[in-house]
Amino acid sequence: MSGRRIVPRAFALPRAFSRAFPRAAPALTAAVLATVLAAGCSSPDAARGGEEGTELVRGEPAPSAASPYWVDPNSDAARQVRTWERQGREAEAKMLRRISGRPVADWPAWDDPAPGIRAAAESAARTKKTILLVAYNIPHRDCGLYSAGGAKDADSYRSWIGEFADAIGDARATVILEPDALSHITDGCTPPEHHAERYQLLSEAVDTLKARPNTRVYLDAGNPDWIDEPSKMAQPLRRAGINRADGFSLNVSNFQSNERVKAYADRLSDAVGGSHFVIDTSRNGNGPLSGGREDAWCNPPGRGLGTPPTTDTGDDRLDAYLWIKRPGESDGTCRGGPPAGDWWPEYALGLARRAAS
């Protein structure tokens, strides 16, 4: 990801990014990856939000299982619905309510997370809902590639995560902690000289966030198409403090099916003492794009919304299906998309039309 930040209201959000890309060769440079992406980013059908002939006609959002999470009334999707209604595009507006009417994660600002978190917490408190947040600011983030950036050093990160936690206060919150951070250690992308510091910062972040009375914390553990053997993630999770967290998250910004992710999660949970987990289902309704991995992560055509956010999972260790990735935000300029993190209404509409439920 480019590191671009978008400000939709009080938030400056780092969004769609290359963390979901399961790197086949960690030694690839950014230049090589850019070349690969350029070769696969020319689908005209994708620029219209999907593959021709695959878009299904749907109506109002289907009733979803109970969700305790806050729905942002001023999300990009909600504003798009209002815009289309003013323009008389009632059918599209109705379809997009499949996104605007459901809770998605907020990604607080890299420089000043507190104002946005407080605004969300205050809004959520009025309806006794839980805010869903992603902490994504670890130093040396994304190995200097598309989501390059993060806090400038360890002390800056400690200050940032402290502000993050203080802003949550006593509010009900669920935090997904540092997507990619452990997977990039495991796949060799993060240089060894940064490993010890990263483990220490993640472990401290777990404790800082868990000191808030109503905050749940899930350490990110990648996806089964990235680190294909779950046992490889067990030791990194333990070193990062999984025993003090509420569990781990999987499939953030990726498209792997619920069945595959749950099978992987069960094995990983067994390897770390029975930890609970959550799964990102924001765009996995049709599973991953077939073909090479290099082409599958960035604005893949034909994808659909997955299981709506809910804590009613029917699985004792699966705490929730969540929309952690914000559906409708671009993964990057491939396949006719806008810059990473920008709202792309046509792609959002395609996801909604092909929703799994």
Side-chain angles (χ1 to χ4, degrees):
M1 188 179 81
S2 64
R4 181 182 178 86
R5 287 178 289 175
I6 313 300
V7 186
R9 48 182 176 88
F11 285 88
L13 303 174
R15 299 183 182 170
F17 52 94
S18 65
R19 65 171 175 264
F21 177 50
R23 289 168 178 80
L28 285 174
T29 64
V32 172
L33 285 170
T35 301
V36 171
L37 288 172
C41 295
S42 60
S43 168
D45 291 332
R48 295 193 296 269
E51 295 167 327
E52 187 173 355
T54 65
E55 295 185 351
L56 306 178
V57 177
R58 309 268 186 172
E60 291 280 8
S64 61
S67 170
Y69 296 100
W70 172 68
V71 176
D72 182 359
N74 292 309
S75 67
D76 288 318
R79 292 199 302 274
Q80 189 69 59
V81 166
R82 293 193 288 270
T83 295
W84 281 346
E85 287 175 337
R86 288 194 301 269
Q87 295 172 348
R89 298 174 62 178
E90 294 293 338
E92 289 98 334
K94 185 176 181 180
M95 187 71 62
L96 200 61
R97 292 193 192 105
R98 284 182 170 268
I99 297 176
S100 68
R102 288 170 173 156
V104 300
D106 274 316
W107 298 63
W110 299 339
D111 50 358
D112 186 13
I117 294 174
R118 291 195 187 104
E122 289 169 5
S123 178
R126 290 193 284 271
T127 53
K128 298 182 179 179
K129 294 291 187 178
T130 298
I131 52 174
L132 177 60
L133 305 170
V134 181
Y136 184 60
N137 198 33
I138 201 78
H140 316 292
R141 189 182 57 208
D142 202 33
C143 313
L145 299 176
Y146 303 102
S147 298
K152 66 179 181 179
D153 54 35
D155 286 341
S156 296
Y157 185 77
R158 291 184 177 103
S159 177
W160 183 85
I161 203 71
E163 293 173 10
F164 193 113
D166 288 346
I168 292 173
D170 294 343
R172 299 175 184 176
T174 293
V175 179
I176 308 303
L177 183 57
E178 295 299 340
D180 286 2
L182 291 176
S183 297
H184 275 318
I185 287 177
T186 305
D187 75 0
C189 190
T190 298
E193 58 266 28
H194 299 315
H195 290 189
E197 176 187 88
R198 177 163 296 184
Y199 284 129
Q200 182 65 30
L201 290 177
L202 290 171
S203 181
E204 292 175 9
V206 170
D207 292 338
T208 298
L209 292 164
K210 288 300 296 177
R212 310 317 306 177
N214 299 305
T215 296
R216 299 178 66 83
V217 180
Y218 294 86
L219 280 158
D220 188 65
N223 70 73
D225 201 45
W226 185 352
I227 308 299
D228 56 2
E229 176 48 58
S231 63
K232 295 177 182 178
M233 289 300 301
Q235 181 63 14
L237 282 170
R238 284 192 288 266
R239 290 190 63 180
I242 189 65
N243 61 312
R244 303 186 310 282
D246 293 279
F248 56 87
S249 58
L250 290 170
N251 208 42
V252 174
S253 284
N254 211 280
F255 305 84
Q256 305 305 306
S257 69
N258 287 352
E259 293 72 19
R260 185 178 184 195
V261 177
K262 284 195 291 186
Y264 183 95
D266 285 338
R267 293 173 61 197
L268 181 53
S269 176
D270 289 342
V272 291
S275 289
H276 287 214
F277 52 91
V278 296
I279 296 174
D280 185 354
T281 56
S282 57
R283 304 186 297 178
N284 75 341
N286 288 342
L289 185 70
S290 61
R293 290 178 173 184
E294 292 84 359
D295 295 332
W297 72 271
C298 190
N299 299 325
R303 303 310 93 199
L305 301 173
T307 303
T310 181
T311 54
D312 184 10
T313 69
D315 186 317
D316 289 342
R317 289 192 290 190
L318 174 53
D319 288 344
Y321 294 113
L322 301 173
W323 286 4
I324 301 170
K325 161 70 181 182
R326 299 172 66 86
E329 291 179 359
S330 177
D331 294 314
T333 54
C334 62
R335 296 189 168 95
D342 281 9
W343 172 247
W344 189 5
E346 294 80 13
Y347 195 82
L349 188 60
L351 291 172
R353 282 179 169 149
R354 295 181 294 271
S357 61

